[in-house]
Amino acid sequence: MKEKLEALKVEALAKLQEVMDPQVLNDLRVKYLGKKGELTEVLRGMGGLSAEERPVIGQVANQVRSAIEEIIGAKQEAFQQQETQQRLQAEKVDVTLPGRRLQQGGIHPLSRVVQEIEDIFIGMGYRVAEGPEVETDYYNFEALNLPKNHPARDMQDSFYLTDDLLMRTQTSPVQIRTMQAMNGEVPVKIICPGKVFRRDDDDATHSFQFHQIEGLVIGSNIRMSDLKGTLQQFVQEMFGPNTDIRLRPSFFPFTEPSVEVDVSCFKCGGDGCRLCKQSGWLEILGAGMVHPNVLKMGGYDPAKYSGFAFGMGVERIAMLKYGIDDIRHFYNNDMSFVKQFKGV
């Protein structure tokens, strides 16, 4: 048995010395030292030895195991050092190289305009109100003085999901929801920003999806002069202190009287240019006094309270403010377009 152990030692050391791969090293460890390894097989024959031979053979077996374990340990350490060197080489950083400049993002021009408008009206005491983009026919039309089959509905070609649900065509439903939530309390002073949807063909000035900001004020003795003063302050903060407004009679089902609101051209100062088509004025929003029927739908007595409302397209404001000639630029994800507004 002693000769078998010595032969096993010579064979194992020779093979282990030639190992160049960690997996092969592990396989040889299992082959010689595992529970079913060759050293274990040899030692199973110790049961047939005499009491005098067992200590001698046991000592030889321990020497063989120690020699095999020693070379295996040395090989494992060498492999680990080699792996560490390879990782250090692969992951090294040349600190003398110039640093990589991180790209700085910017706020999208539409988001920037929304934030600017919100800041102006919050400064005037308004709060921001929001509502769902999928609306019921009642909130989108009926509660805004547009009953079923009303001809004015044709002005808004809608995306209906069911007979009663549609993608909202305006942010006006937020006004009704807010009025009902106030339970007749005053004052109401809100702006309602958000996306709206209409089945328009995409072109330079139209999109099936765009952004609106609407405003609503309800209280005692609210007059058209209050509306004009509010809009005058807004346009001067938005477009410059010399900007003036002009009100023209119009029609909206939810306001009476209703007006279209123009601003004096901030590019030519009202003298006439390409931007204002030589008129000196730019149309930017619609407004009016809240219709008595809408007040009733919102839970307010029109004999006791009055109010005004206005609505503007964010894209329209942004296009005028930044001289953009095509609404599609906002949605085409063209980085060369968006990067222009980093420092604006």
Side-chain angles (χ1 to χ4, degrees):
M1 185 173 288
K2 182 177 180 181
E3 290 75 11
K4 287 184 178 182
L5 290 172
E6 292 293 345
L8 178 62
K9 176 182 177 182
V10 172
E11 176 190 330
L13 294 181
K15 289 186 177 182
L16 289 168
Q17 195 66 43
E18 298 175 356
V19 171
M20 302 298 293
D21 182 83
Q23 184 59 49
V24 175
L25 179 65
N26 186 64
D27 293 342
L28 290 175
R29 181 188 63 79
V30 174
K31 176 181 178 182
Y32 292 113
L33 302 181
K35 291 182 179 180
K36 296 181 180 180
E38 295 185 13
L39 180 59
T40 303
E41 287 295 325
V42 174
L43 295 177
R44 283 177 180 169
M46 289 184 65
L49 299 177
S50 63
E52 293 80 10
E53 291 177 314
R54 288 177 185 172
V56 176
I57 298 301
Q59 184 177 5
V60 174
N62 287 335
Q63 291 173 353
V64 172
R65 179 182 293 276
S66 296
I68 294 175
E69 288 177 342
E70 183 178 350
I71 192 171
I72 288 175
K75 284 283 185 178
Q76 287 175 334
E77 184 176 354
F79 287 143
Q80 289 176 353
Q81 290 178 353
Q82 182 181 3
E83 181 185 0
T84 300
Q85 288 300 321
Q86 290 174 346
R87 289 181 59 188
L88 289 174
Q89 187 67 24
E91 299 174 7
K92 71 178 181 180
V93 177
D94 186 351
V95 295
T96 65
L97 291 173
R100 295 186 181 94
R101 185 180 295 275
L102 296 177
Q103 288 193 355
Q104 183 179 8
I107 300 176
H108 192 279
L110 290 180
S111 299
R112 186 181 299 276
V113 170
V114 169
Q115 291 174 4
E116 189 172 350
I117 294 173
E118 288 179 347
D119 288 344
I120 292 172
F121 281 102
I122 288 173
M124 289 192 279
Y126 287 67
R127 67 179 180 88
V128 177
E130 297 180 338
E133 293 177 1
V134 177
E135 265 296 359
T136 63
D137 186 89
Y138 171 80
Y139 281 110
N140 196 80
F141 289 124
E142 294 179 44
L144 295 168
N145 202 33
L146 282 162
K148 294 186 184 299
N149 301 318
H150 193 289
R153 288 196 182 203
D154 294 339
M155 298 166 59
Q156 301 180 13
D157 204 2
S158 312
F159 288 108
Y160 273 90
L161 307 178
T162 68
D163 290 342
D164 187 57
L165 292 176
L166 71 155
M167 304 299 292
R168 68 182 181 188
T169 60
Q170 52 205 357
T171 55
S172 304
V174 182
Q175 299 181 19
I176 291 293
R177 290 181 176 275
T178 301
M179 292 164 67
Q180 292 180 351
M182 292 287 289
N183 292 318
E185 295 182 6
V186 291
V188 177
K189 206 172 183 182
I190 61 169
I191 56 170
C192 317
K195 286 184 284 189
V196 298
F197 309 85
R198 299 181 189 178
R199 290 196 297 166
D200 277 330
D201 293 329
D202 284 358
D203 58 29
T205 57
H206 297 84
S207 174
F208 68 91
Q209 172 193 292
F210 56 100
H211 296 74
Q212 274 190 345
I213 292 184
E214 298 192 17
L216 173 70
V217 173
I218 297 176
S220 301
N221 199 29
I222 301 297
R223 298 166 295 181
M224 180 68 80
S225 58
D226 298 314
L227 169 62
K228 183 178 180 180
T230 298
L231 296 180
Q232 182 74 58
Q233 181 173 342
F234 162 68
V235 300
Q236 288 181 347
E237 292 194 41
M238 192 72 188
F239 299 112
N242 296 322
T243 308
D244 200 2
I245 64 171
R246 179 179 70 176
L247 306 183
R248 292 181 288 111
S250 185
F251 166 76
F252 301 111
F254 26 80
T255 53
E256 179 60 38
S258 303
V259 292
E260 296 284 357
V261 182
D262 304 329
V263 296
S264 56
C265 182
F266 43 83
K267 185 174 182 180
C268 66
D271 295 332
C273 66
R274 182 180 177 184
L275 180 63
C276 62
K277 300 178 181 179
Q278 306 303 323
S279 70
W281 296 94
L282 298 165
E283 181 183 332
I284 62 165
L285 58 87
M289 302 303 293
V290 180
H291 196 287
N293 291 346
V294 176
L295 287 171
K296 290 178 184 177
M297 291 285 192
Y300 289 86
D301 183 356
K304 184 177 180 181
Y305 299 111
S306 58
F308 64 76
F310 56 86
M312 67 191 79
V314 177
E315 284 82 352
R316 171 71 172 162
I317 300 293
M319 291 172 74
L320 292 174
K321 187 175 178 67
Y322 298 127
I324 299 167
D325 60 0
D326 195 321
I327 194 174
R328 290 169 292 194
H329 290 320
F330 293 123
Y331 307 112
N332 288 341
N333 296 323
D334 183 352
M335 292 304 296
S336 62
F337 169 76
V338 177
K339 286 179 180 178
Q340 298 178 64
F341 301 91
K342 275 187 178 180
V344 174

